[in-house]
Amino acid sequence: MFKYSFLFLTLLCSFSNLLSQTTQSITEKPNIIIIYADDLGYGDVSCYGATKIKTPNIDKLSKQGLRFMDAHATSATCTPSRYSLLTGEYAWRRKGTDIAPGNAAALIKPGKPTLPLMLQNAGYKTGVIGKWHLGLGNEGGPDWNREIRPGPLEIGFNYSFLIPATGDRVPCVFVENRNVVKLNPKDTIQVSYSIPVGNEPTGKDHPELLKLMPSVGHNNTIVNGISRIGYMSGGKSALWTDENIADTLTTKAKNFIINNKSNPFFLYFATHDIHVPRVPNQRFVGKSGLGARGDVILQLDWTVGEITKLLDSLHLRNNTLIIFSSDNGPVVDDGYADKALELLNGHTPAGVLRGGKYSAFDGGTRVPFIVSWKGKIKFGVSNAALSHIDLFASLATLTGKQFYTNATSDSHNNIKVLLGKSKKGRDYIIEHALNGTLSIIKENWKYIEPSNGKRIDENTNIELGNYQEAQLYNLSVDLGEKNNVASDNKNKVKELSELLNMIRYNGIKN
Ligand code: NG6
Ligand code: CA
């Protein structure tokens, strides 16, 4: 009896040793940097085919890694995309995760499993720098004059330096950890999204004070000669200067890297570029020949170069996984008369794709996606289907925190795809457009569910992709979604609409 138990124990020990060795050998803890651009389109950078603009630093990153041709943000707008990226859960499962006003309460509640929390538990120092747009504070939104919580520090980040919402929404101040930066306590900040507060001039009443005119909306409080969405007063010493946002964020990101170079770190670097208002630093003004929109693409490219050069100089490239992508597709005129449309000069921000930001067509969510990890990822191009929703489970698997992959059934482990070790991408991709329309892509067939939503967004002139009848596109021959072949492929429509509904209602995991 004793003999057998001993044998059993010995076998068990060697089995568990073997198991831990295997786990150890696949577990790695590289530094992880996600550079998350805003509104950058599939056709906006030269390594994705842009010819009217050159993005040498992004192209170089692509040459040092893998460029995905079929990678998707989860939504066609910012807030839901970012919610999904950080939680691994489709935002459309949660009410209140559409484009958030600048005084929204925290949308990701403390206690929810998140990407930064998972990495923190894996031993990482975690930081978020840049655009947040996921709300701050408790119900009713934050009091900007006090400690602001909950925020990133309550959901897994060790450090944060934020644009609270967007560049075009008040308050136009940075929040570092729990406080507004450079706030004079005697000059308190008031924010409202319903009624004017204080005596600050608005773009609506004082267009003569503007250096950049709105084209749609964006006519409330004027800050730095630009009128915004929402009203604010006070906080004069804390107001940002739009021309310096990219410099400030890049410096903060570089400092975070330098300060954490000796331990594994995760940096979620969410640039303001290329969102509106597009106000490039003087160094980039006029340099693209495509107006402000092109100039801020150059500024974004510079930002990427600053980060990669710093990593090179610190000899961290062998030990750093860099992911570069965008939160949603491109838009040309997004509410300011910055001549983006007039100066396009034949540039096609969405490349061959139909639609753009806000849209159910692929222009809404198919975005540039580059991964680079020197010595680990081979240079190349991948046609595998990939979604931002999978970063959570994939990075959990990489860093040995697999149990987190059960936290959300939406996020699947696709680490092999991400690292270029498998060409078989995600089984299906779900896309989420403004006003809620869902689409599904499986084996290059794309189904867009019927919708009563608007066909065209009158503000941006973007085709939203909403039709009352079902749409089916064969993306292998029709990436531009021009021929709706639903009526000739009724079985495919049935199969995909059923699969979409199953995912929508049951949250199945393949
Ligand atoms: C829209 C704004 C647009 C932009 C967008 C959010 C108007 C007319 N349009 O409502 O300018 O701010 O919201 O963009 O106000 S996102 O990339 O953050 O989702
Ligand atoms: Ca965006």
Side-chain angles (χ1 to χ4, degrees):
M1 175 67 191
F2 171 76
K3 208 168 103 190
Y4 283 116
S5 344
F6 181 73
L7 187 71
F8 177 71
L9 212 68
T10 321
L11 276 173
L12 194 75
C13 283
S14 40
F15 178 69
S16 62
N17 269 346
L18 192 77
L19 200 73
S20 76
Q21 272 169 24
T22 346
T23 328
Q24 262 168 22
S25 64
I26 58 161
T27 295
E28 300 204 51
K29 297 199 173 161
N31 306 312
I32 300 169
I33 302 179
I34 301 179
I35 304 178
Y36 210 47
D38 199 349
D39 298 357
L40 186 75
Y42 193 65
D44 267 330
V45 288
S46 31
C47 58
Y48 276 85
T51 53
K52 305 278 176 183
I53 189 155
K54 288 269 166 286
T55 49
N57 292 302
I58 298 169
D59 295 5
K60 188 169 174 201
L61 186 68
S62 160
K63 287 203 188 98
Q64 295 165 335
L66 196 55
R67 174 161 47 94
F68 285 81
M69 301 309 288
D70 193 8
H72 295 254
T74 45
S75 295
T77 57
C78 168
T79 303
S81 266
R82 286 158 202 251
Y83 179 95
S84 306
L85 175 82
L86 292 181
T87 63
E89 176 190 56
Y90 291 121
W92 43 262
R93 296 199 188 283
R94 300 275 160 191
K95 277 215 172 80
T97 54
D98 292 329
I99 302 173
N103 60 352
L107 296 177
I108 305 175
K109 302 276 184 280
K112 191 166 182 70
T114 65
L115 177 61
L117 189 63
M118 179 274 289
L119 290 171
Q120 220 175 35
N121 280 324
Y124 281 72
K125 281 280 180 289
T126 56
V128 48
I129 290 162
K131 170 172 165 177
W132 184 238
H133 212 186
L134 289 167
L136 291 167
N138 286 315
E139 285 322 302
D143 178 345
W144 303 95
N145 307 295
R146 293 166 184 253
E147 265 207 349
I148 298 164
R149 66 166 84 196
L153 301 199
E154 281 69 38
I155 59 162
F157 284 107
N158 295 104
Y159 174 74
S160 71
F161 187 92
L162 309 177
I163 290 175
T166 59
D168 58 346
R169 284 173 175 75
V170 300
C172 300
V173 296
F174 296 118
V175 174
E176 187 166 32
N177 296 324
R178 298 192 176 100
N179 293 97
V180 170
V181 176
K182 290 193 195 148
L183 178 64
N184 172 357
K186 290 192 185 123
D187 183 24
T188 56
I189 295 177
Q190 309 288 330
V191 169
S192 163
Y193 273 74
S194 48
I195 45 160
V197 289
N199 299 316
E200 293 306 314
T202 63
K204 184 162 177 276
D205 295 334
H206 290 282
E208 77 283 358
L209 298 177
L210 297 175
K211 65 181 180 195
L212 177 61
M213 297 292 280
S215 57
V216 185
H218 297 102
N219 62 1
N220 301 150
T221 300
I222 300 174
V223 177
N224 188 26
I226 301 166
S227 49
R228 320 275 167 161
I229 307 174
Y231 302 96
M232 82 173 280
S233 70
K236 283 270 180 303
S237 58
L239 297 174
W240 67 50
T241 304
D242 298 75
E243 289 79 352
N244 297 336
I245 289 179
D247 283 8
T248 304
L249 298 182
T250 305
T251 303
K252 292 287 170 189
K254 285 162 80 174
N255 288 344
F256 179 83
I257 294 170
I258 293 165
N259 293 339
N260 291 287
K261 63 178 195 291
S262 316
N263 49 263
F265 65 81
F266 166 57
L267 171 61
Y268 168 48
F269 182 18
T271 67
H272 171 251
D273 292 321
I274 60 166
H275 199 276
V276 295
R278 302 168 184 133
V279 190
N281 187 274
Q282 195 55 42
R283 304 196 298 282
F284 302 100
V285 173
K287 293 285 154 55
S288 68
L290 304 182
R293 188 174 185 280
D295 295 347
V296 293
I297 294 179
L298 297 186
Q299 187 165 267
L300 170 70
D301 186 66
W302 167 83
T303 299
V304 172
E306 287 297 290
I307 299 300
T308 49
K309 277 178 212 152
L310 174 68
L311 293 168
D312 286 340
S313 74
L314 296 172
H315 307 291
L316 288 178
R317 287 299 286 275
N318 285 327
N319 191 29
T320 304
L321 170 63
I322 307 173
I323 298 171
F324 172 81
S325 197
S326 173
D327 68 337
N328 52 251
V331 51
V332 180
D333 181 337
D334 205 16
Y336 287 100
D338 59 8
K339 295 216 170 67
L341 193 59
E342 295 87 325
L343 298 172
L344 258 187
N345 188 28
H347 173 64
T348 48
V352 296
L353 307 177
R354 187 169 176 184
K357 180 175 180 177
Y358 310 113
S359 177
F361 291 127
D362 257 36
T365 56
R366 194 187 286 234
V367 284
F369 190 103
I370 297 166
V371 286
S372 171
W373 182 3
K374 240 182 190 162
K376 294 280 180 183
I377 298 179
K378 285 202 202 107
F379 160 68
V381 177
S382 174
N383 291 313
L386 193 75
S387 168
H388 291 172
I389 195 82
D390 289 346
L391 288 177
F392 187 110
S394 305
L395 296 175
T397 306
L398 179 72
T399 56
K401 290 283 160 190
Q402 285 89 337
F403 63 89
Y404 265 96
T405 57
N406 298 325
T408 150
S409 57
D410 292 333
S411 184
H412 302 179
N413 168 32
N414 271 309
I415 189 66
K416 287 190 175 154
V417 182
L418 191 72
L419 301 182
K421 296 198 171 102
S422 165
K423 291 195 169 115
K424 190 184 168 323
R426 206 175 204 279
D427 289 334
Y428 56 81
I429 299 282
I430 308 278
E431 300 176 348
H432 170 232
L434 183 77
N435 59 39
T437 306
L438 294 185
S439 312
I440 183 164
I441 306 175
K442 191 168 193 285
E443 286 150 6
N444 268 321
W445 289 96
K446 172 163 173 184
Y447 164 77
I448 307 179
E449 67 181 349
S451 162
N452 289 324
K454 286 185 207 153
R455 286 199 183 177
I456 297 197
D457 177 51
E458 69 272 14
N459 294 337
T460 57
N461 224 9
I462 286 174
E463 284 188 285
L464 294 175
N466 295 315
Y467 285 82
Q468 277 168 345
E469 57 275 15
Q471 293 170 79
L472 183 76
Y473 298 98
N474 181 354
L475 299 183
S476 54
V477 293
D478 182 22
L479 198 51
E481 294 167 271
K482 292 198 176 68
N483 299 311
N484 180 6
V485 293
S487 52
D488 296 336
N489 295 276
K490 296 220 166 67
N491 287 342
K492 198 40 98 182
V493 168
K494 184 165 180 289
E495 177 201 328
L496 292 182
S497 65
E498 282 173 5
L499 179 61
L500 177 61
N501 276 336
M502 196 149 66
I503 296 158
R504 174 171 15 221
Y505 298 118
N506 299 336
I508 57 147
K509 182 167 182 164
N510 281 351

